[in-house]
């Protein structure tokens, strides 16, 4: 068995026993990247030199008996919208193509304390705006289960890298499904934590009231381990919650007896692919066999969440992206006579088509005459959606839905119709609107051999129940015996 | 509700974006479809509902307004498209 095939918790065990070194693990990953990434194209940049140097230092420290973290020397991939000091953070945009981060994101500071090794920065839809990673200004990423299909997005590079074993785990960010949907389409585990559990400092902002950083991992245990490392209050992000630090591995318990799971009927009905629906019903049946009760319920207002999302997210984005003016950092046009030209031409040349579309939509819904009808109304509907969840969580511990209405779609299938692309998020978006935690767990393959994922939605700051249920499912199923085939990609 | 090309041009100006004739054409059509979809939120009864202003509304976070030195001015300036003697350089604004 190659080192890149192990989960992180297996690697940690082997490191502790002295069976392997960080240098061996790290080299195994760079060899794998060289073998596979010319087809998958998950990495925007790799950090081989600094990674190998760091791995060697950790090995020497371990050998000398110095106290090191148990994760010291474990490699990780980072979505290219999180700042690592001294390295490029591009957001897969021409606007930030040459931007070198002058500081570390808080999640990176936390990983540095544990001496993790950075393999590189992972591809994404430009500024995290998209559901397929086709909106990257550099190149699209391909799905390792079928190279002619998308990996999902916007954290498509992170999910594809973990699925194709080019990283043992990775960080993604999720504004409307950008961790969970690609995790589902690539057959890996993706968690969007409760809004406020993980600091957003140093994450390039898309929609600040919705963005959250979270783990993309091979299994549920690694997800708990990585959440342990990155969660916690940060004074640099006033929306991060002050609360007692939890150890999520304590929730890795193989038992769901007595747990109450709601199955909102709207997400197993119209618009959901028949094979996906069947897979979700099979998961529900499995939970019942394992001692949980699963009951059909309703979240009628959920059907408005996607419309609310595109109003609120684009409004926030149009404001957040106002900072890109060609003056202090980022792309500056060569074509200008005055200051106004710098602003307009830098933005027009630096942003890609989807980013411009969302800035225009966001500017429109915030503009005089439309603010009340769109933005204000959407924020009120957001409250109604939150209340809808509150009602359901009076009765249920968790909600179960598909993560994505379909399995991975073909490259270029949805790029010409933005609205159709937006509807790829219908199952994931409501969770961000309400600020709740959600985890996508792989549960099978469709008849084309493409992964299907189910989504577990928990109460606010109750990641524990999600971990417990996801772990129980994983221990009683065998998805990880399936491996990506890397088929297709001839065209 | 129809959105006109003129409106798209006006909005692009507010957002500091130049649009080509093709882009105006395309975005007008896209906005038409997206806004039609967005209008479905009017089916929701929101009478008596407050707006959600933050994902966590349990507490208000306050801190002292104190200056903290970033400490690495060179790293910040190195990303500037044009700089001079520790300052960002822009074209002349006042004639």
């Amino acid at each position: 068995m190659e080192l890149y095939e192990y989960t992180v918790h297996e690697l940690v065990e082997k490191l502790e026993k002295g069976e392997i070194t960080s240098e061996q693990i790290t080299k195994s990953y760079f060899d794998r990247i060289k073998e596979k990434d010319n087809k998958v194209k998950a990495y925007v940049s790799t950090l081989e030199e600094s990674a190998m140097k760091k791995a060697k230092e950790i090995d020497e420290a371990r050998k000398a008996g110095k106290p090191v973290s148990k994760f010291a020397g474990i490699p990780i991939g980072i979505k290219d919208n999180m700042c690592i000091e001294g390295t490029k953070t591009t957001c897969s945009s021409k606007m930030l193509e040459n931007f070198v981060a002058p500081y570390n994101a808080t999640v990176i500071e936390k990983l540095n304390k544990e001496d993790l090794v950075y393999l590189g920065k992972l591809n994404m839809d430009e500024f995290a705006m998209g559901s397929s990673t086709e909106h990257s200004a550099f190149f699209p990423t391909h799905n390792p289960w079928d190279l002619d299909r998308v990996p999902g997005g916007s954290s498509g590079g992170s999910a594809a890298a973990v699925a194709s074993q080019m990283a043992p785990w990775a960080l993604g960010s999720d504004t409307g499904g950008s961790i969970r949907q690609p995790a589902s389409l690539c057959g890996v585990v993706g968690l969007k934590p409760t809004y406020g559990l993980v600091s957003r400092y140093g994450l390039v902002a898309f929609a600040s009231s919705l963005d959250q950083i979270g783990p993309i991992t091979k299994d549920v245990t690694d997800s708990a381990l990585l959440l342990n490392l990155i969660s916690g209050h940060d004074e640099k992000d006033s929306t991060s919650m002050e609360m007692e630090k939890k150890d999520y591995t304590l929730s890795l318990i193989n038992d769901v007896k007595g747990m109450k799971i709601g199955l909102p009927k709207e997400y197993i009905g119209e618009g959901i692919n028949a094979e996906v629906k069947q897979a979700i019903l099979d998961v529900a049946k499995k939970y019942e066999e394992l001692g949980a009760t699963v009951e059909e319920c309703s979240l009628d207002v959920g059907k408005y969440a996607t419309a609310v999302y595109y109003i609120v997210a684009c409004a926030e984005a149009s404001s957040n992206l106002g900072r890109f003016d060609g003056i202090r950092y980022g792309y500056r046009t060569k074509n200008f006579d005055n200051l106004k030209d710098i602003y307009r031409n830098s933005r027009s040349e630096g942003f890609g088509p989807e980013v411009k579309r969302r800035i225009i939509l966001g500017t429109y819904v915030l503009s005089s005459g439309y603010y009340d009808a769109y933005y204000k109304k959407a924020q009120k509907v957001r409250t109604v959606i939150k209340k809808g969840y509150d009602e359901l969580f009076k009765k249920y511990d968790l909600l179960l839905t598909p993560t994505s209405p379909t399995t991975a779609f073909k490259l270029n299938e949805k790029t010409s119709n933005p609205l159709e692309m937006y509807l790829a998020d219908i199952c994931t978006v409501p969770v961000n609107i309400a600020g709740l935690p959600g985890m996508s767990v792989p549960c099978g393959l469709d008849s084309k051999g493409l992964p299907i994922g189910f989504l577990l939605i928990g109460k606010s700051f109750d990641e524990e129940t999600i971990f417990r249920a996801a772990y129980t499912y994983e221990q009683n199923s065998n998805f990880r015996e399936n491996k990506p085939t890397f088929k297709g990609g001839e065209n | 509700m129809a959105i006109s090309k003129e409106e798209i041009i006006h909005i692009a100006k507010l957002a500091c974006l130049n649009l080509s004739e093709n882009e105006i054409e395309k975005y007008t059509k896209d906005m038409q479809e997206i806004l039609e979809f967005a209008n479905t939120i009017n089916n929701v009864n929101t009478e008596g509902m407050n707006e959600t202003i933050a994902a966590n509304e349990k507490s208000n976070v306050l801190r002292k307004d104190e200056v903290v030195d970033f400490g690495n001015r060179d790293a910040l300036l190195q990303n500037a498209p044009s700089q001079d003697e520790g300052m960002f350089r822009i074209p002349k604004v006042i004639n």
Side-chain angles (χ1 to χ4, degrees):
Chain A
M1 197 163 155
E2 301 288 339
L3 285 178
Y4 59 71
E5 291 175 81
Y6 291 100
T7 59
V8 172
H9 57 92
E10 289 164 343
L11 289 173
V12 165
E13 208 174 294
K14 286 180 171 298
L15 268 176
E16 278 179 333
K17 285 187 191 153
E19 289 172 19
I20 53 170
T21 65
S22 170
E23 210 178 343
Q24 287 167 337
I25 302 171
T26 309
K27 182 167 185 312
S28 162
Y29 276 102
F30 282 110
D31 288 347
R32 180 73 171 172
I33 290 167
K34 277 165 206 155
E35 184 197 335
K36 294 292 181 199
D37 205 33
N38 59 341
K39 287 183 178 156
V40 178
K41 301 184 96 52
Y43 281 91
V44 172
S45 58
T46 51
L47 300 164
E48 187 166 2
E49 204 179 309
S50 57
M52 291 309 298
K53 185 169 164 267
K54 174 95 183 176
K56 215 169 179 169
E57 281 168 17
I58 298 297
D59 286 337
E60 277 161 16
R62 242 197 201 101
K63 216 170 146 191
K66 287 184 190 156
V68 293
S69 146
K70 70 176 192 172
F71 298 99
I74 294 288
I76 189 167
I78 306 289
K79 185 177 181 179
D80 207 12
N81 58 353
M82 290 170 229
C83 291
I84 305 179
E85 189 178 342
T87 68
K88 277 190 186 177
T89 297
T90 70
C91 260
S92 289
S93 177
K94 190 178 171 187
M95 186 59 90
L96 289 172
E97 196 169 0
N98 297 308
F99 177 75
V100 177
Y103 64 92
N104 283 320
T106 296
V107 288
I108 299 298
E109 286 291 344
K110 285 176 180 282
L111 298 182
N112 282 347
K113 279 203 187 101
E114 307 291 328
D115 280 319
L116 265 75
V117 172
Y118 304 111
L119 294 168
K121 303 298 289 289
L122 292 155
N123 200 18
M124 52 188 281
D125 288 292
E126 183 177 358
F127 283 100
M129 296 176 184
S131 311
S132 69
T133 316
E134 291 168 289
H135 294 311
S136 164
F138 308 136
F139 43 78
T141 298
H142 300 254
N143 191 315
W145 297 82
D146 179 345
L147 296 167
D148 295 325
R149 290 175 188 270
V150 303
S154 68
S155 312
S158 299
V162 174
S164 52
Q165 317 212 81
M166 297 192 293
W169 57 7
L171 287 183
S173 67
D174 190 315
T175 306
S178 284
I179 288 173
R180 292 159 290 154
Q181 184 255 18
S184 173
L185 270 44
C186 290
V188 292
V189 176
L191 171 70
K192 183 204 89 79
T194 309
Y195 183 84
L197 187 60
V198 179
S199 168
R200 295 178 292 108
Y201 180 73
L203 168 74
V204 180
F206 161 15
S208 307
S209 79
L210 302 162
D211 298 340
Q212 250 320 261
I213 295 171
I216 296 182
T217 55
K218 289 180 179 178
D219 70 2
V220 177
T221 302
D222 281 357
S223 185
L225 291 171
L226 191 47
L227 187 63
N228 276 353
L229 298 186
I230 61 172
S231 57
H233 173 69
D234 174 17
E235 62 177 20
K236 289 178 180 144
D237 174 2
S238 63
T239 64
S240 70
M241 281 291 273
E242 248 174 293
M243 51 190 270
E244 212 174 307
K245 183 91 180 158
K246 293 176 180 173
D247 177 358
Y248 294 101
T249 62
L250 299 176
S251 305
L252 301 173
I253 300 164
N254 183 0
D255 182 13
V256 289
K257 275 183 214 81
M259 204 180 269
K260 289 190 219 102
I261 302 175
L263 188 65
K265 63 178 194 282
E266 291 82 6
Y267 297 93
I268 44 169
E270 203 188 328
I272 306 294
N273 168 283
E275 286 186 82
V276 171
K277 177 183 166 177
Q278 191 51 52
I280 301 310
L281 294 176
D282 290 346
V283 171
K285 206 169 141 218
K286 173 75 101 184
Y287 274 125
E288 284 189 316
E289 285 166 16
L290 293 166
T293 56
V294 183
E295 198 178 271
E296 208 173 274
C297 59
S298 171
L299 186 70
D300 188 44
V301 72
K303 63 174 176 269
Y304 300 107
T306 309
V308 169
Y309 173 80
Y310 280 93
I311 294 168
V312 172
C314 292
E316 293 183 21
S318 73
S319 167
N320 274 328
L321 271 57
R323 73 190 65 178
F324 295 99
D325 56 7
I327 304 295
R328 291 149 303 152
Y329 54 91
Y331 176 83
R332 179 186 283 193
T333 181
K334 296 198 169 43
N335 165 30
F336 65 88
D337 291 321
N338 54 49
L339 193 61
K340 195 80 186 165
D341 280 353
I342 291 195
Y343 297 157
R344 292 178 70 121
N345 296 343
S346 299
R347 290 168 63 79
S348 305
E349 293 163 26
F351 290 136
E354 180 61 24
V355 175
K356 286 185 198 167
R357 185 178 292 113
R358 295 201 194 191
I359 291 174
I360 290 170
L361 178 59
T363 307
Y364 182 82
V365 299
L366 290 177
S367 66
S368 149
Y370 299 106
Y371 179 87
D372 284 358
Y374 289 105
Y375 188 71
K376 205 169 172 181
K377 177 76 182 179
Q379 292 288 48
K380 285 182 179 173
V381 178
R382 193 172 176 184
T383 308
V384 178
I385 294 169
K386 279 177 140 182
K387 286 187 189 298
Y389 278 110
D390 288 347
E391 281 306 308
L392 288 178
F393 282 124
K394 281 182 190 160
K395 258 179 107 178
Y396 305 107
D397 302 305
L398 287 173
L399 301 176
L400 166 67
T401 73
T403 307
S404 164
T406 65
T407 52
F409 44 92
K410 290 215 157 134
L411 283 146
N412 299 320
E413 194 179 314
K414 296 183 198 267
T415 39
S416 61
N417 186 337
L419 189 55
E420 205 176 302
M421 186 76 90
Y422 296 173
L423 296 176
D425 298 337
I426 50 167
C427 304
T428 48
V429 149
V431 178
N432 301 72
I433 292 295
L436 301 171
M439 179 189 272
S440 180
V441 183
C443 60
L445 299 176
D446 71 1
S447 52
K448 298 189 194 83
L450 301 168
I452 301 171
F454 67 92
L455 179 63
L456 291 173
I457 305 163
K459 295 172 192 167
S460 198
F461 295 106
D462 183 18
E463 276 74 6
E464 289 102 317
T465 306
I466 293 180
F467 276 120
R468 182 168 184 155
Y471 182 77
T472 303
Y473 179 85
E474 193 180 65
Q475 294 301 306
N476 293 282
S477 58
N478 53 5
F479 179 82
R480 286 201 63 229
E481 286 168 17
N482 302 298
K483 299 281 178 234
T485 56
F486 299 95
K487 69 177 180 189
E490 280 86 30
N491 308 316
Chain B
M1 191 185 60
I3 181 165
S4 65
K5 274 198 204 177
E6 287 67 34
E7 266 180 301
I8 292 292
I9 294 166
H10 171 66
I11 292 296
K13 199 175 159 196
L14 292 178
C16 248
L17 291 170
N18 304 317
L19 297 183
S20 68
E21 202 44 54
N22 281 342
E23 283 176 313
I24 293 168
E25 204 65 54
K26 169 84 177 127
Y27 289 137
T28 306
K29 183 178 157 284
D30 290 347
M31 282 312 130
Q32 204 70 270
E33 282 181 31
I34 295 166
L35 289 172
E36 203 174 299
F37 173 68
N39 278 325
T40 58
I41 60 170
N42 290 317
N43 298 333
V44 184
N45 179 6
T46 52
E47 219 181 285
M49 285 290 164
N50 291 324
E51 296 152 58
T52 294
I53 48 162
N56 298 323
E57 291 172 332
K58 291 198 181 88
S59 59
N60 199 2
V61 183
L62 300 170
R63 63 169 168 77
K64 285 206 174 108
D65 188 15
E66 285 170 339
V67 176
V68 181
D69 200 0
F70 179 73
N72 194 355
R73 179 185 168 124
D74 289 346
L76 289 176
L77 278 164
Q78 141 198 339
N79 282 304
S82 179
Q83 50 150 314
D84 201 358
E85 292 181 42
M87 286 176 275
F88 300 114
R89 207 186 159 94
I90 58 166
K92 198 171 162 189
V93 196
I94 304 159
N95 284 316

